Amino acid sequence: MDRLERQLSFLMEIDRQKEIIRQTYLADGSRKETDAEHAWHMAVMCAVLSEYANEPIDVARTVLMLLTHDLVEIDAGDTYAYDTEGNATKRERELKAAERIYGLLPEDQSGYFRELWDEFEAMETAEAKFANMLDKIQPVLLTDAAKGKSWTEHGVRKEQIIERNARTHEGSELLWERIRQIIEKNVEAGFIRGEGSGEQPSPL
């Protein structure tokens, strides 16, 4: 297959990302967002909020990382943040997916996109830390706007959100502080269960 055909094959394959439904609702609570919508939203957030990164970042590289890191979910599916069983196999499923999906591209582009995905997963560079931070706070912003809809559906507890966001501050201390305020507001409103509430969230 020549270079252009491989590139077109990849581009048509990733159209399937529009079919992957996440657990996060749109801001108006009308329906759940897709993976493609999630990626678009974070890419724009990066362009708008990059000034708040703890360290200077390459915005273009971070945007591309955000647009492509969830392509693995075409094969691996979206794993809900608080699904313990699903998260136990997430890494294995996504590694296999990364090999296949990025491997559709010509070798040079395949290596570059896979490098971006590995960088995001390792969370060691300033770009990866900021991208991971956006990946964590975007659902919080949407769920807050939707009056806690997915949190209440799954019985999510404050300590689970805090644990999941243990490294979010590494991307932006300022944005994490704002998200903490939003979390506390939703605990007070009863949309997030307070600490020690006991019940486990629904995995789906």
Side-chain angles (χ1 to χ4, degrees):
M1 189 181 299
D2 66 26
R3 183 177 183 85
L4 177 58
E5 290 306 312
R6 292 191 67 167
Q7 291 167 329
L8 292 176
S9 177
F10 170 80
L11 292 172
M12 294 310 298
E13 179 67 7
I14 68 171
D15 185 69
R16 295 172 56 198
Q17 192 181 28
K18 300 171 186 176
E19 303 169 6
I20 308 298
I21 306 299
R22 294 168 49 81
Q23 290 300 310
T24 305
Y25 285 88
L26 301 184
D28 66 2
S30 61
R31 64 171 175 82
K32 295 175 180 178
E33 68 172 353
T34 68
D35 256 9
E37 291 167 329
H38 173 63
W40 160 81
H41 204 184
M42 290 189 299
V44 178
M45 287 172 68
C46 181
V48 173
L49 300 175
S50 59
E51 65 190 87
Y52 303 113
N54 290 341
E55 308 170 65
I57 62 168
D58 181 330
V59 174
R61 182 178 179 85
T62 311
V63 165
L64 187 56
M65 188 183 296
L66 289 164
L67 287 171
T68 60
H69 85 276
D70 273 341
L71 294 179
V72 295
E73 295 186 358
I74 291 169
D75 288 356
D78 175 62
T79 304
Y80 181 49
Y82 307 108
D83 178 0
T84 304
E85 184 176 339
N87 277 287
T89 62
K90 178 182 177 181
R91 178 66 177 170
E92 181 183 353
R93 287 182 283 114
E94 292 191 347
L95 278 169
K96 185 177 179 180
E99 288 294 321
R100 186 190 78 80
I101 294 167
Y102 301 125
L104 294 172
L105 285 163
E107 187 174 349
D108 60 324
Q109 291 182 323
S110 173
Y112 180 68
F113 278 72
R114 175 59 191 269
E115 177 185 291
L116 283 176
W117 185 76
D118 287 333
E119 181 180 342
F120 178 89
E121 292 294 305
M123 201 176 163
E124 294 176 351
T125 65
E127 287 75 17
K129 290 175 182 177
F130 195 73
N132 270 276
M133 181 274 301
L134 293 175
D135 193 37
K136 297 295 192 301
I137 73 168
Q138 188 261 3
V140 174
L141 292 170
L142 285 183
T143 308
D144 172 57
K147 298 185 176 3
K149 194 167 183 178
S150 63
W151 291 326
T152 56
E153 284 183 354
H154 298 290
V156 175
R157 303 191 310 276
K158 175 184 173 181
E159 58 261 40
Q160 292 173 304
I161 299 175
I162 297 301
E163 180 180 354
R164 174 170 168 75
N165 285 278
R167 297 186 62 189
T168 299
H169 70 97
E170 294 180 28
S172 171
E173 295 285 354
L174 188 148
L175 291 174
W176 171 235
E177 180 55 34
R178 183 70 184 94
I179 292 302
R180 283 186 62 90
Q181 293 170 4
I182 291 172
I183 292 168
E184 291 298 335
K185 180 187 75 171
N186 280 275
V187 171
E188 292 174 8
F191 298 139
I192 297 172
R193 293 178 180 272
E195 295 183 23
S197 57
E199 287 187 36
Q200 293 297 318
S202 164
L204 299 174

